[in-house]
Structures are given as C-alpha cells and as structure tokens.
C-alpha cells in the first residue's frame, strides 16, 4: 500500500507531546553562560554615553559589550531573498534608528545575573524626533524603492481607461495594521566555538543554510567552519525565515568570553528584534460590465519599512494573477521609511494582505451589480495568467468555488444584508477566493538504506511544525518499497545535504521532491545489486520487472525474492546511499504559470447591541495539487484559518506616535485566537496531480490556507450588519 495519500499521524507527535523533542533552548551545553540584551528606549538619535561600571562589577558578570568594545561585523547588502532580516547591525556605532534596538549586551554565569546587570547600565541619549508611520501623511513620504524581487509595478492594457469607461466602478482604500509573528517558542541562539575555530550555532531558525551563509559573510569566516542546527521549531511564522542581529551577537559574545553563550530574546524583545509584518494602505479600483465581468483592475499598495532596508510587502501582486480583466490590470508598490526595525514575511505574506483588499472589493462589486459573489467570481475565472500570458499548470478554482459552496450550503443564503438571523444575533455569510505563489527552489537530500533494511533520510531542510518529518518518511517509503515506520528522517543541520528554508509553503514540492529522487537512486542501486551483484538472485532479468514492497525485492512472474537486508549482507555492504538533487527551473522561466488556489466561506454571528463577533463555521476548499498526507494537510488548513481569523478580528501591533515604540510587546497586549474562538472548520481538497509544480504533483499549501480568510469574514460581517469595514482588524468599536 502506498504511504503517500494516507492520513498518517505525525512521526514526531509522541516526542513533542511527551517533552522529548529538543527545542533550541532545551539544549544543554557544558560551561554555557547567558547573554541579555539592553535595548534603546528611544526610536531616533544616538547614545551619548553608556555607563556600564556597575554592571561590570555585578555578581557573575563576565563581560559587558557596547558599540565601543564589540567586535566589528561586515555589513552585507539587503535583498528580499538574502538571508538577513535587516542590514543595520547593532553595537557597531552610537546611532539609534528604532526603539528596541540593542545598545548593550551583558554576559554572565546565569540569565538572572545577566538580566539584573543589564538594569544597572545607564544610557544617556540625544533624542531626535522619530519618523513614524501615519496613515494620514504616509503618502507624502512614499518612495519607489529599488526592485530586489518581483517588479514593483505592472501594467497590462490600459486599466485606468477601462475603469473610467466602465458601467460599474468600485474604488476604495483598505488598511491593515502592523502585526507580529508571536510564535510560542522565542528566538534563541546558542553559540559555541571549538578549539579549531569551528562555530556551531544552535538557532531557532527556519533556515539553517541561510543562517550559516549570513554568519559567514558578517563574521568573515568560511562556511565550512560554521554549523547551524535546528531540529525542532515551536513556531516560526516567517519571523525565523531570515537571520536577525541577536544570532550574530551571540556568536561574537561566545568568542569574547570563550564560553558557549545562550542568547534568548524576551517576549518584549521579539517585538523589535525579529521583524514584523508591515502595515499596508491599499487602494483598489475595479471597473466592470453590468454582468459583472471585470474590465479593469488597479491595485496600489504602500507599506512602512525601516530607515535602512526596502522591505516591500507585495500586496498588489494578487491582483496581477487572480482575475481576468478585459481592459487591463495595473499594480504598484511604494514604501515609507520610518524609525523601525525592518519588517519581514509573516504567515502568508503579500497575498494575505493583498487579498483582503481585492476580495473585499469583489464583494462590493457583487453588491453593486446584484450578482451572487460566488457567481461573480466564476464569471471572472481565467485559464491564462493575466500577468505572464502563460496558461496555468492547474487551476481548480472553479471546483474550489462550486464544491466549497455546496459543502457550505451557500444556496440557502439570502443576499440582502441583515436578512439572516439566529435569535437576537444577525448572521452573515461571506466568500473569498485566493491565488497563492508556488515557489520552485533547488534542494538536495540523502537517503541511506541500512543493513537491517531500514532507511534514513537526511536534508538540511526543516519541519517548522507542519509535518515535514512525516511526509518525507512517506515519500521515501513509497520510493523504496518500505513501510513508513521503517524510515527515519533527520533535518535541520547544515552538515546534511543542502536544502532550502522552510518558507513560502515550499517544502513538500521542493525539499521533499529531492527526498524522492534520493530514495529512487537507492532503489535503482538495490535493483542493480539484485540483477548483477554477488550471487545475484535476479541475474539476467530486466530492472523494470523487479517489484519492491515491505523491504523485499521480488521478480515478477517468478517466486524469486530477497529482502533488502539479505541483499546488502550478500554483497558485504553495510549500507547503500543515494543522493537527490532537485534543480527545477525557476517558476518565472517555466512554460506554465503555477499557483495554488482556494475558495473559503465564512459564517459569522454578530450581537447587534454589543458588536461582538463570533465565527459560526467555516469551509475552506483548496487546490494545492496532490495531497501527500490528508491529515497533516488538514491540520495546516486549520492553522491557516486560525491565523486568518486573528488577522480579521484580533491582531494589531500599535505604535506610540510620539515615541515610535511598539506598545503591545506581550501576549497580554496582542490578541491571537484561542480555542474558544474557533468553531468547526471544514476543509476539503479539490486539486489533482500538478506535474509542472513538482515531481510529487504537490503545490504550496500551508500559507494558502491563511489567505482570504479575513475578506471572507469581512464580507460575512457586511452581510450580517450592512457595515463595510475596510480597516483590519474588525473590532467591536468599528461595528457599533
Ligand atoms: Mo512564510 S511567512 O513564507 O515563512
């Protein structure tokens, strides 16, 4: 029986639920000491003096590092796809560019000693008025940054003319706040230098390979002398996709005191030292015929970034690809530089913000034309990517919309706002569709077939918590003809075959494809041994006549068979190893446009007196190609929907306009959904094998499931209340 397609439970489930999984901060190192960061309370200016005398004399303190005595680091240019979260490296000069910027680092025997000594440091500042992001004035300071990833603007046809000439027009501005990742596991680095100058970083990261590269560039040591390890992550959400300064500070601190150093960010420090999602201000204009067919789309987005890096939240990209518009589509992105640390990707970056604007605007168009919102989307479906002109490899959006609607019972919806009730509550139902970028990245993997007939998969990829250990075992098991419990998987160590980061929902399609190739290479070697090896049991037979199941090779139409274990023993081998090197052409250079799709349906109830919102039920229909494991896939969808609910109703990081500081800085001040917020979530997969996307037929899934949850809920809230809220999160006061 094939393991792929089976709802296999997570192979690391027992380890995690029994406390056996070793997260980065759990790793004990002999002689380890602790570092604590002291950070700036102002957002702009410079440090005039840093008095560390009392701290240096405090119990247990080994060193106090400031810009005056910190070893120097190399500055590396910034890009969206480079491994560093921000280029500005703290403790290198006296300037202050954002609130929460590290200004001193204390290393002591215990964490309490380091933290206490940090409180004894007296910093005097020269304060400048910080540049902050203000929705009312943002446009005046907006600039078009250099292009470092996708083109910043696009224009197909004449969108503005098409909209101006259209029978029906929608033009609205949608705003979304800054948000923070808030993983349960804080960012932490353990740095240790060996006597031979090898640096090992145990780091809570989604990219061991990129962290090694960045540490090499910034610290000026060859990559071969650096190991980076991360076997388990307690959430990353994009915040651990890029490397942040604290990892580099830990490495240098360990060098200075010549001891292993652990540096763990406090919850508050995670708000200023490890990225966040930038707010966006998005303007959408739609032109359409009376029948609902789009004639033009214009989508412009603006986001704040730091003073030193041009992080672009590509929110308008969704509008380049999702719907057909006969007259043209235009998009643009600009940024505003403010006194902030650099933003980064967060839980479905780009698309999750962009679709809120686009799919709310589509709902507004549905009401302006009197066409059902599902039907409106079906009328604007397209088989060709409007942006590139290429056909989509697979696009089951129609099935997402129709099967999702059937599952939800959309036909019972009455379209008039406030027309559906449940006792004293008003009930609303909303829909939104989504398109999600499919990444094609190279990756390597190794598979070792052992003398006992079991196998080991190895790759410097990650299980971010979604089930990579499990699906890799399934894929290797099928390729080798083994039961999945005979396959072990090792991930998260740069000493393993190089792979890509756990970002972009790309791991199944890419890193796992490399595992399949490696396992196939081992299988071919084993068949070769059975045909031509020592005392070959199938001598003279054709390789394609060998069948392998349950670790046993058999020759078709004969009684001949041999187990892997016997085969290796007979050939005097302790193992057979194979490598997989998956090197796809980049998506943009392929013949087809590859994206994942979804349609999601939300039902809300609102207390008309109090404005309280509850999600009643939710249906998500997804085309993510072939599903490798329906159980882990469903769990990903549940997670994504919950993120989306947070985006819709709860999450916002607020800035003090005077000081430029993030105010929340704690779970008590930053709301995320809890169990009581989550009703039944109904998930269905409607996609099929996509051969362009991956040899496994899979497309990106994880973050797709977070996209368009917020517009579906906002559209449901309009249906329930008649109020169109275009500013996230939709809180009580906006509904009253
Ligand atoms: Mo995801 S925000 O691409 O780690």
């Amino acid at each position: 029986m094939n393991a792929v397609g089976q709802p296999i439970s997570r192979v690391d489930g027992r380890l995690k639920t029994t406390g056996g999984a070793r997260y980065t901060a759990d790793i004990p190192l002999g002689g380890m000491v602790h570092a604590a960061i002291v950070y700036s309370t102002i957002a702009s200016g410079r440090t005039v003096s840093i008095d560390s005398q009392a701290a240096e004399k405090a119990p247990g303190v080994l060193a106090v590092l400031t810009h005056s005595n910190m070893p120097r680091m190399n500055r590396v240019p910034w890009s969206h796809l480079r491994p560093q979260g921000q280029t500005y490296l703290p403790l290198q000069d006296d300037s202050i560019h954002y609130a929460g910027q590290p200004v001193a680092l204390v290393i002591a025997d215990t964490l309490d000693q380091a933290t206490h000594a940090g409180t004894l440091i007296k910093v005097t500042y020269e304060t400048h008025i910080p540049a902050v992001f203000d929705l009312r004035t943002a446009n005046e300071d907006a600039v078009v940054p250099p292009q470092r990833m996708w083109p910043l603007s696009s224009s197909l046809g004449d969108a503005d003319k098409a909209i101006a000439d259209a029978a029906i027009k929608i033009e609205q501005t949608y705003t979304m706040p800054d948000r923070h990742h808030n993983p349960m596991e804080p960012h932490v680095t353990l740095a240790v230098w060996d006597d031979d100058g090898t640096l090992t970083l145990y780091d809570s990261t989604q990219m061991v390979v990129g962290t090694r590269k960045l540490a090499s560039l910034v610290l000026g040591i060859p990559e071969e002398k650096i190991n980076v390890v991360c076997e388990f992550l307690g959430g990353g959400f994009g915040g651990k996709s890029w490397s942040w300064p604290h990892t580099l500070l830990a490495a240098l601190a360990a060098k200075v005191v010549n001891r292993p150093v652990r540096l763990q960010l406090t919850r508050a420090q995670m708000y200023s030292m490890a990225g966040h999602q930038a707010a966006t201000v998005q303007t959408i204009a739609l032109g359409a015929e009376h029948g609902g067919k789009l004639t033009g789309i214009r989508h412009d987005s603006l986001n704040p970034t730091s003073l030193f890096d041009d992080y672009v939240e590509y929110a308008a990209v969704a509008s380049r690809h999702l719907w057909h518009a006969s007259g043209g589509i235009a998009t643009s992105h600009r940024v505003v530089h403010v006194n902030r640390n650099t933003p980064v990707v967060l839980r479905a970056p780009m698309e999750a913000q962009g679709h809120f604007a686009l799919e709310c605007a589509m709902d507004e168009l549905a009401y302006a034309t009197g066409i059902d919102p599902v039907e409106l989307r079906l009328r604007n479906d397209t088989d060709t990517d409007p942006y590139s002109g290429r056909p989509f490899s697979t696009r089951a959006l129609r099935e997402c919309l129709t099967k999702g609607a059937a599952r939800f019972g959309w036909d019972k919806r009455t379209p008039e706002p406030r027309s559906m009730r449940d006792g004293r509550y008003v009930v609303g139902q909303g829909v939104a569709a989504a398109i999600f970028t499919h990444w094609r990245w190279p990756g390597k993997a190794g598979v070792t077939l052992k003398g006992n007939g079991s196998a080991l998969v190895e790759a410097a990829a990650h299980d971010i918590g979604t089930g990579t250990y499990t699906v890799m075992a399934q894929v290797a098991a099928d390729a080798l003809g083994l039961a999945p419990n005979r396959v072990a998987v090792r991930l998260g160590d740069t000493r393993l075959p190089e792979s890509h980061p756990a970002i972009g929902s790309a791991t199944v399609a890419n890193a796992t494809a490399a595992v399949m190739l490696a396992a196939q290479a081992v299988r071919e070697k084993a068949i070769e041994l059975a045909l031509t090896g020592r005392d070959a049991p199938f001598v003279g037979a054709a390789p394609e006549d060998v069948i392998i199941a349950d670790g046993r090779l058999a020759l078709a139409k004969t009684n001949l068979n041999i187990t892997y274990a016997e085969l290796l023993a007979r050939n005097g081998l302790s193992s057979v190893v194979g490598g997989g090197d998956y090197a796809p052409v980049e998506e943009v250079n392929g013949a087809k446009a590859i994206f994942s799709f979804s349609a999601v349906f939300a039902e809300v109830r609102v207390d008309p007196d109090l404005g309280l919102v509850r999600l009643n039920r939710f249906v998500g229909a997804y085309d993510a190609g072939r599903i490798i494991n329906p159980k882990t896939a469903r769990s990903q969808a549940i997670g994504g929907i919950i993120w989306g609910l947070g985006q819709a109703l709860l999450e916002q990081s607020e800035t003090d306009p005077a000081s430029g500081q993030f105010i929340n800085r704690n779970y008590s001040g930053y709301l995320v959904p809890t169990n009581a917020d989550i009703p039944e979530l109904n998930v269905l997969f409607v996609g099929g094998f996509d051969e362009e996307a991956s040899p496994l037929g899979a497309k990106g899934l994880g973050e797709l499931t977070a996209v368009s949850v917020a517009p579906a809920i906002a559209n449901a809230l309009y249906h329930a209340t008649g109020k169109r809220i275009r500013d996230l999160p939709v809180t009580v006061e906006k509904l009253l």
Side-chain angles (χ1 to χ4, degrees):
M1 192 172 73
N2 281 345
V4 169
Q6 300 298 320
I8 293 173
S9 293
R10 300 257 289 264
V11 298
D12 51 343
R14 179 173 294 272
L15 269 185
K16 285 190 167 176
T17 52
T18 56
R22 224 168 51 157
Y23 293 86
T24 301
D26 299 331
I27 295 169
L29 293 179
M32 183 171 67
V33 295
H34 298 261
I37 293 174
V38 178
Y39 58 87
S40 167
T41 54
I42 67 161
S44 181
R46 64 182 195 92
T47 54
V48 177
S49 70
I50 304 176
D51 178 359
S52 59
Q53 279 184 8
E56 282 159 25
K57 292 193 200 96
V61 170
L62 299 167
V64 177
L65 298 171
T66 68
H67 69 86
S68 60
N69 61 346
M70 188 73 184
R72 292 294 170 247
M73 303 185 248
N74 302 321
R75 203 154 161 185
V76 178
W78 188 84
S79 155
H80 279 87
L81 296 175
R82 267 181 197 267
Q84 62 186 336
Q86 74 177 29
T87 53
Y88 178 74
L89 298 168
L91 307 194
Q92 301 290 294
D93 59 51
D94 65 358
S95 58
I96 301 292
H97 300 295
Y98 54 97
Q101 174 186 318
V103 293
L105 187 67
V106 183
I107 303 122
D109 287 331
T110 71
L111 179 58
D112 285 344
Q113 288 170 336
T115 305
H116 169 69
T119 65
L120 304 176
I121 293 177
K122 291 189 190 67
V123 185
T124 50
Y125 299 99
E126 176 186 302
T127 304
H128 307 153
I129 294 170
V132 294
F133 188 67
D134 182 335
L135 290 178
R136 289 160 301 184
T137 57
N139 264 305
E140 296 161 20
D141 304 318
V143 295
V144 179
Q147 180 191 330
R148 293 195 177 85
M149 195 172 76
W150 293 321
L152 290 147
S153 60
S154 71
S155 182
L156 177 87
D158 190 341
D160 292 333
K161 181 172 188 308
I163 294 163
D165 294 347
I168 313 275
K169 291 169 210 156
I170 301 289
E171 178 160 7
Q172 295 294 350
T173 297
Y174 303 84
T175 51
M176 276 144 269
D178 300 299
R179 295 195 291 158
H180 278 83
H181 304 81
N182 279 297
M184 292 270 281
E185 180 204 28
H187 291 251
V188 57
T189 304
L190 277 66
V192 55
W193 296 81
D194 288 348
D195 294 338
D196 71 350
T198 300
L199 169 66
T200 300
L201 296 168
Y202 300 89
D203 193 32
S204 53
T205 177
Q206 296 169 232
M207 50 152 222
V208 285
V209 173
T211 300
R212 176 180 61 181
K213 180 173 220 60
L214 184 68
S216 167
L217 292 168
V218 172
L219 305 176
I221 37 179
E223 288 190 40
E224 311 83 77
K225 299 287 262 184
I226 304 172
N227 307 315
V228 183
V229 182
C230 181
E231 292 184 341
F232 290 102
L233 278 158
F237 305 145
K240 295 169 185 167
S241 301
W242 272 250
S243 273
W244 301 102
H246 71 270
T247 296
L248 305 161
L249 296 180
L252 288 176
K255 185 101 186 163
V256 169
V257 299
N258 196 25
R259 298 272 292 274
V261 167
R262 176 192 286 165
L263 174 51
Q264 178 170 317
L265 300 188
T266 64
R267 188 60 58 184
Q269 288 172 347
M270 284 166 63
Y271 282 75
S272 66
M273 296 185 198
H276 57 272
Q277 179 169 81
T280 55
V281 180
Q282 300 174 47
T283 302
I284 290 235
L286 301 178
E289 301 167 4
H290 287 292
K293 286 203 165 175
L294 288 165
T295 56
I297 304 173
R298 169 169 280 287
H299 189 166
D300 302 303
S301 181
L302 171 69
N303 67 266
T305 183
S306 62
L307 292 185
F308 23 88
D309 300 321
D310 297 309
Y311 181 83
V312 179
E313 193 67 50
Y314 278 96
V317 159
S319 295
R320 295 177 183 171
H321 304 287
L322 182 53
W323 304 120
H324 175 76
S326 55
I329 300 174
T331 66
S332 79
H333 300 85
R334 290 174 305 155
V335 298
V336 177
H337 292 277
V338 296
N339 285 99
R340 267 296 167 73
N341 52 316
T342 305
V344 74
V345 297
L346 175 147
R347 292 183 258 130
M350 330 291 177
E351 281 98 341
Q353 293 108 298
H355 280 77
F356 175 68
L358 177 60
E359 287 299 282
C360 285
M362 285 293 277
D363 200 65
E364 302 200 37
L365 180 62
Y367 277 92
T369 55
I371 297 167
D372 174 79
V374 173
E375 173 61 25
L376 179 81
R377 287 171 173 85
L378 291 170
R379 287 185 194 181
N380 287 291
D381 192 23
T382 172
D383 291 331
T384 305
D385 170 25
Y387 180 67
S388 67
R390 297 174 299 171
F392 288 105
S393 55
T394 52
R395 173 168 164 131
L397 181 56
R398 194 161 277 276
E399 290 76 7
C400 291
L401 284 161
T402 55
K403 291 184 176 166
R407 178 74 65 94
F408 186 79
W410 185 258
D411 58 340
K412 295 184 200 66
R413 176 182 184 266
T414 54
E416 198 57 33
R418 301 179 68 86
S419 64
M420 296 178 77
R421 288 188 163 259
D422 173 10
R424 57 187 291 270
Y425 299 108
V426 285
V427 170
Q429 299 180 338
V431 63
I435 184 168
F436 189 75
T437 303
H438 177 83
W439 296 98
R440 289 205 286 194
W441 288 325
K444 295 192 177 81
V447 169
T448 304
L449 179 66
K450 298 186 169 177
N452 65 2
S454 70
L456 173 66
V457 171
E458 295 178 301
H462 293 266
D463 190 329
I464 190 176
T466 45
T468 306
Y469 282 113
T470 311
V471 296
M472 283 187 171
Q474 288 175 270
V475 165
D478 281 3
L480 289 166
L482 286 174
N485 64 9
R486 297 287 285 157
V487 181
V489 181
R490 277 194 66 209
L491 300 172
D493 191 320
T494 48
R495 286 161 285 200
L496 305 177
E498 178 164 339
S499 194
H500 62 79
I503 60 172
S505 305
T507 297
V508 164
N510 300 284
T512 310
V515 169
M516 184 183 75
L517 297 179
Q520 285 173 344
V522 169
R523 177 197 183 95
E524 281 165 24
K525 285 184 184 175
I527 290 173
E528 178 78 16
L529 284 173
L531 299 178
T532 65
R534 193 184 296 168
D535 296 333
F538 310 154
V539 68
E544 55 272 21
D545 287 336
V546 178
I547 303 149
I548 313 180
D550 279 331
R552 184 178 291 274
L553 298 80
L555 189 62
K557 301 189 199 106
T558 74
N559 290 328
L560 299 173
N561 66 81
I562 187 169
T563 64
Y564 274 136
E566 288 165 2
L567 182 69
L568 265 62
R570 192 176 291 189
N571 286 278
L573 296 170
S574 60
S575 65
V576 174
V577 297
D581 187 352
Y582 180 57
V585 294
E586 266 189 76
E587 197 279 334
V588 289
N589 297 324
K592 305 276 180 71
I594 310 172
F595 291 87
S596 307
F597 298 91
S598 75
V600 298
F601 301 78
E603 182 181 286
V604 297
R605 67 176 192 276
V606 182
D607 184 319
D609 300 320
L610 303 177
L612 292 173
V613 177
R614 302 294 295 178
L615 185 63
N616 269 353
R617 59 197 183 91
F618 195 93
V619 172
Y622 306 100
D623 168 16
R626 179 200 198 195
I627 298 301
I628 305 299
N629 180 330
K631 188 172 190 175
T632 56
R634 179 174 176 276
S635 295
Q636 286 212 52
I638 289 170
I641 296 163
I642 293 169
W643 297 349
L645 178 68
Q647 181 192 20
L649 300 180
L650 299 171
E651 289 185 70
Q652 55 182 331
S653 302
E654 293 184 87
T655 307
D656 175 359
S659 71
Q661 299 201 32
F662 283 118
I663 298 167
N664 317 63
R665 291 192 287 172
N666 198 306
Y667 275 132
S668 66
Y670 188 99
L671 301 182
V672 293
T674 63
N675 288 0
D677 296 307
I678 308 302
E680 187 196 334
L681 305 175
N682 201 322
V683 169
L684 64 157
F685 298 106
V686 303
F689 198 101
D690 187 325
E691 62 181 7
E692 299 281 333
S694 164
L696 287 165
K699 302 193 282 190
L701 170 65
E703 292 168 285
L704 164 72
T705 61
V707 180
S708 277
V709 176
I713 290 173
N715 294 340
L717 285 168
Y718 173 72
H719 183 225
T721 65
K723 287 195 176 134
R724 184 66 74 178
I725 310 297
R726 302 184 183 89
D727 177 47
L728 290 180
V730 184
T731 46
V732 171
E733 66 274 18
K734 293 175 192 168
L735 278 173
L736 282 178

